[in-house]
Amino acid sequence: MNLEQEIIYSIQEAFKSLFAQDIELKQIALQPTRKEFEGTFTFVVFPFLKITKLKPEDSGNKIGSYLKENCDPVTDFNVVKGFVNITVSESSWLDIFKKLYSNPSFGQLPPNGKKVMVEYSSPNTNKPLHLGHLRNNFLGYAVTGILKANGYEVIKANLVNDRGIHICKSMVAYKHFGKGETPESAGIKGDHLAGKYYVIFDKAYKRQINELLENGQTEEEAKKNAPLILEAQEMLRNWEAGDAEVVKLWKTMNAWVYEGFDATYKKMGVDFDQFYYESDTYLLGKNIVEEGLKKGVFYKKENGSVWVDLSDEGLDEKLILRADGTSVYITQDMGTCDLKYHDFKIDKSVYVVGNEQDYHFDVLFKIMRKLGRPYGEGLYHLSYGMVDLPTGKMKSRDGTVVDADDLIQEMIATAESHTKELGKIDGFTTEQAEELYEILGLGALKYFLLKVDPKKRMLFNPQESIEFQGNTGPFIQYSHARIASILRKAGQIGVDYSKQSFENLSQLENTERDLIVLLNDFEKKIILAGEEYAPSVIAQYMFDVAKEYNRFYAELPIFNETNKEIQAFRVALSALTAKTIQEGMQLLGIKVPDRM
RNA sequence: GGUCCUGUAGCUCAACUGGAUAGAGCAACUGCCUUCUAAGCAGUAGGUUUCAGGUUCGAGUCCUGACAGGAUCACCA
């Protein structure tokens, strides 16, 4: 039983003994005491006044006295209005510290026997990854880390959108204007090469539309009749028919793109256990349509199209299958949903997809639940907002995108110039320095994108957004490097801190206690972040830990402390903090350096 | 028009799910490197939580209604 639970249990006992009332444990909640008051935990009595039938102050005093007498760790209390501020003994904090410090599975909850799949990234193969994908990938990867720490078995999945009219556009343009160019001959990454032809297509297409407009067609007609779009559509039909030449070009260009993506993923530090390709899955789901009709969940209209009525759930009727019997987007998503379950017998399935698809996933999940899928309640759409630029929304066709590769490169370069400016790479080899720049640049970028609530749309200003001071990745990384330096020195001068029991320590400094209280929250934060699928919870916590440590670092001496036991304790506390930071940042996919 | 999301300091974000005097960072200003890394620490200043009602011991948080920004509502994906 941990400290909080012990106190809560005692409060329950207090009500039993003082007021002869049984209160459920979950009704009792402790909150952290505000800094300006004495104490660590606060119990709010207002909700229980009906039971105590006393004034708030009197209720608080009675409960406080009971705790002081009957709950071992509680040494004191004070009551302000209806708030009982509880003070916990120094020895309890030391016990907690020792427990955390000696816990081999610190930051990892025991396996819960459940399997979850997290689908993220899900790129199109006609263009390179951009800023929006970065938010997606970092979010997805961080969520997999958090769920693992919560004891789940996690499968990282990537559903690649490798077919459709947009792919054919790049292919058509390449056929006309490519002249046999390859990534090698052009000297650019494969995904960028495909993206180049996607842009070329769009420019040529617009030219053709303008010509048709001049010839008197309406805009709608022109868009439909431009030769290039007709060609792309025909190519899509040929692709679906398995036309050898089209398929060959498709395979060639996709291979280029995948090679490019691999490089970008590697740079980003994300990976996957399972790839799904829409070219394999786009025909799935028709069997589910049959099943739904049989179960009466779907119904057929006169023209043969199939629908589901979700009006009892507050939504509309949605089309499931076209009159001509072909699939729509949701048909294949239903199929993929089942496929994932079939492949891995997952309990939960998380989709990291932008909030423009909120409605789509609402519909999809409601359908799967209506069909009585065993994983139905485990479906979750991790929806996130757009990343906007100061110039407005990003549009790949206009070229107003921040390319992922470029941005990462820029971040690393910025980290390099910062580091050099501060003159902090004495004694680094070139490789070590390069590695550090990468860790810092990516750390800054990831932290920037992860510290914010995913639901919120965010503004990214390339010049101003990424800082290296304050609430940033490098600040936390810096705190870790500081501690690493302490630990190195402790090793050099032979401070034995790892096996001490600190038996003679009786008094803790405020900052020491505050730090222990905070480190003790790690598990709680992991659980919360897991329940909410919220890396921002961890990010915020990491900042708090780093900040608290830096205060400790500035206020209290370590190697100048003459009492050897206190000295060893402070080193050990530093080590635990470093471990917390390292584990926590790892959940976010951010590396921490030992020197910077 | 319907539905959903967002609105908190000049800017970027918190607020432990209804608790105390709404907290951090950036930007501005003041101190602190002859003790362990100043990418740091301490401090000053900055707020009618978009607005108007309501619910109650208590509302940034819940309800109603405005206002603003965004997304979505295709036999597109």
Side-chain angles (χ1 to χ4, degrees):
Chain A
M1 182 163 19
N2 72 33
L3 180 61
E4 253 184 288
Q5 285 169 334
E6 193 176 342
I7 295 173
I8 287 173
Y9 185 72
S10 293
I11 291 174
Q12 188 189 37
E13 290 292 307
F15 274 96
K16 218 179 272 175
S17 122
L18 297 172
F19 308 107
Q21 283 278 347
D22 279 321
I23 296 182
E24 284 182 53
L25 283 174
K26 62 180 177 187
Q27 282 182 273
I28 305 169
L30 294 178
Q31 50 181 302
T33 304
R34 294 182 72 101
K35 279 262 190 279
E36 59 265 37
F37 300 106
E38 182 73 31
T40 304
F41 300 109
T42 294
F43 173 65
V44 186
V45 298
F46 287 115
F48 303 99
L49 293 182
K50 276 180 194 140
I51 291 171
T52 65
K53 299 201 174 75
L54 293 169
K55 284 186 205 156
E57 289 84 354
D58 298 340
S59 310
N61 278 317
K62 277 208 152 191
I63 293 164
S65 304
Y66 181 93
L67 288 178
K68 192 173 170 181
E69 275 172 39
N70 298 293
C71 185
D72 219 28
V74 176
T75 53
D76 207 355
F77 73 97
N78 64 85
V79 178
V80 182
K81 290 189 270 181
F83 301 90
V84 186
N85 300 321
I86 299 163
T87 301
V88 173
S89 71
E90 305 284 56
S91 63
S92 296
W93 291 122
L94 270 172
D95 287 346
I96 284 177
F97 168 75
K98 282 185 247 177
K99 218 168 89 188
L100 292 173
Y101 188 73
S102 59
N103 181 1
S105 57
F106 183 67
Q108 171 65 54
L109 276 62
N112 63 11
K114 290 195 173 143
K115 255 190 218 180
V116 57
M117 177 178 282
V118 179
E119 177 197 307
Y120 66 100
S121 200
S122 306
N124 290 337
T125 57
N126 64 329
K127 57 190 175 212
L129 304 174
H130 58 66
L131 180 54
H133 292 111
L134 289 178
R135 190 177 196 187
N136 180 305
N137 280 277
F138 295 154
L139 256 180
Y141 188 78
V143 164
T144 64
I146 289 166
L147 291 176
K148 265 183 210 158
N150 272 281
Y152 286 95
E153 183 182 334
V154 181
I155 298 129
K156 292 173 272 191
N158 190 350
L159 175 60
V160 183
N161 186 348
D162 63 343
R163 67 164 283 280
I165 192 72
H166 50 285
I167 314 289
C168 293
K169 286 178 181 175
S170 296
M171 286 160 63
V172 165
Y174 181 80
K175 240 176 104 177
H176 284 290
F177 311 109
K179 297 177 188 145
E181 193 174 40
T182 65
E184 289 75 29
S185 74
I188 54 176
K189 282 176 74 210
D191 50 338
H192 290 260
L193 189 70
K196 174 180 150 188
Y197 285 100
Y198 187 68
V199 173
I200 288 175
F201 176 93
D202 213 61
K203 280 188 185 152
Y205 178 38
K206 278 191 181 131
R207 265 200 310 276
Q208 290 186 346
I209 291 173
N210 283 333
E211 278 168 27
L212 294 176
L213 283 174
E214 277 165 28
N215 292 342
Q217 293 201 9
T218 66
E219 194 172 338
E220 203 176 325
E221 287 170 339
K223 278 185 179 166
K224 227 191 288 177
N225 295 332
L228 273 174
I229 195 71
L230 293 174
E231 195 178 339
Q233 280 159 353
E234 196 197 342
M235 188 179 267
L236 182 58
R237 282 191 295 274
N238 289 338
W239 180 88
E240 288 190 12
D243 179 284
E245 197 186 327
V246 172
V247 168
K248 192 178 163 208
L249 178 61
W250 175 75
K251 279 189 175 159
T252 306
M253 289 185 74
N254 270 351
W256 292 343
V257 172
Y258 294 143
E259 209 174 310
F261 283 172
D262 282 347
T264 305
Y265 286 142
K266 203 170 167 205
K267 203 86 179 167
M268 288 195 288
V270 305
D271 54 60
F272 305 93
D273 306 308
Q274 173 73 18
F275 283 86
Y276 290 107
Y277 298 93
E278 282 199 20
S279 52
D280 297 328
T281 62
Y282 79 107
L283 293 175
L284 295 177
K286 291 195 181 179
N287 55 328
I288 302 178
V289 175
E290 290 304 317
E291 176 195 337
L293 282 170
K294 245 179 249 161
K295 285 186 176 168
V297 177
F298 304 154
Y299 64 93
K300 210 172 236 181
K301 285 195 178 174
E302 283 152 17
N303 65 2
S305 56
V306 179
W307 296 73
V308 62
D309 182 5
L310 295 172
S311 51
D312 54 332
E313 309 240 19
L315 302 178
D316 288 332
E317 300 178 359
K318 281 293 283 185
L319 178 84
I320 300 291
L321 198 69
R322 292 192 191 103
D324 63 7
T326 55
S327 307
V328 288
Y329 182 40
I330 201 147
T331 324
Q332 61 164 296
D333 258 13
M334 285 165 17
T336 313
C337 208
D338 262 359
L339 178 66
K340 289 174 171 179
Y341 179 73
H342 173 264
D343 286 352
F344 293 96
K345 294 288 175 290
I346 46 178
D347 301 283
K348 288 180 179 223
S349 193
V350 178
Y351 293 78
V352 184
V353 181
N355 63 5
E356 67 272 14
Q357 298 204 35
D358 284 356
Y359 180 69
H360 170 75
F361 281 105
D362 203 8
V363 170
L364 176 66
F365 295 168
K366 281 185 168 131
I367 291 174
M368 300 321 278
R369 282 173 200 145
K370 265 181 186 283
L371 289 167
R373 288 297 185 269
Y375 54 81
E377 294 307 316
L379 293 167
Y380 183 79
H381 174 206
L382 177 50
S383 164
Y384 62 92
M386 298 258 173
V387 185
D388 290 320
L389 298 174
T391 49
K393 201 173 159 175
M394 294 196 296
K395 288 200 179 109
S396 34
R397 275 172 296 187
D398 303 343
T400 56
V401 284
V402 175
D403 178 75
D405 294 316
D406 292 350
L407 180 59
I408 289 172
Q409 227 32 63
E410 211 174 294
M411 292 305 310
I412 295 172
T414 310
E416 178 173 353
S417 65
H418 263 271
T419 307
K420 283 183 172 160
E421 219 171 276
L422 292 167
K424 293 221 172 175
I425 44 168
D426 295 344
F428 276 69
T429 66
T430 315
E431 280 128 42
Q432 285 169 333
E434 298 279 322
E435 195 193 347
L436 179 64
Y437 305 148
E438 199 166 312
I439 289 175
L440 294 179
L442 273 165
L445 182 58
K446 286 185 187 183
Y447 189 83
F448 177 81
L449 291 170
L450 289 175
K451 74 173 175 186
V452 181
D453 179 355
K455 276 204 301 279
K456 291 191 171 158
R457 51 188 293 135
M458 57 196 301
L459 183 79
F460 185 84
N461 185 331
Q463 278 83 47
E464 294 169 14
S465 281
I466 303 288
E467 308 275 347
F468 286 75
Q469 276 144 18
N471 189 355
T472 66
F475 168 77
I476 297 161
Q477 292 170 318
Y478 172 75
S479 308
H480 181 270
R482 256 187 165 174
I483 300 173
S485 167
I486 294 273
L487 299 181
R488 274 195 302 274
K489 185 155 181 190
Q492 280 163 19
I493 64 175
V495 178
D496 174 29
Y497 61 94
S498 56
K499 286 183 182 129
Q500 290 254 7
S501 57
F502 309 116
E503 271 163 6
N504 303 314
L505 271 185
S506 55
Q507 191 75 32
L508 289 172
E509 297 293 333
N510 282 335
T511 39
E512 291 170 335
R513 187 172 43 247
D514 289 347
L515 193 51
I516 295 173
V517 171
L518 198 54
L519 294 175
N520 187 38
D521 277 344
F522 191 30
E523 188 177 297
K524 233 165 66 183
K525 296 289 180 184
I526 290 174
I527 293 169
L528 182 66
E531 283 168 356
E532 314 253 310
Y533 304 95
S536 58
V537 168
I538 301 293
Q540 203 62 42
Y541 176 68
M542 285 293 107
F543 177 63
D544 292 340
V545 169
K547 203 161 166 44
E548 194 60 53
Y549 183 81
N550 281 323
R551 180 207 298 268
F552 161 85
Y553 181 92
E555 281 182 16
L556 300 172
I558 294 178
F559 297 115
N560 286 342
E561 172 59 52
T562 47
N563 182 323
K564 289 296 165 200
E565 190 166 32
I566 293 178
Q567 179 182 73
F569 169 69
R570 287 182 185 159
V571 174
L573 186 54
S574 300
L576 180 63
T577 306
K579 202 172 168 193
T580 307
I581 291 177
Q582 191 266 324
E583 297 271 351
M585 292 298 260
Q586 190 177 51
L587 296 184
L588 301 177
I590 300 174
K591 290 181 187 156
V592 286
D594 286 334
R595 284 192 296 165
M596 66 183 275

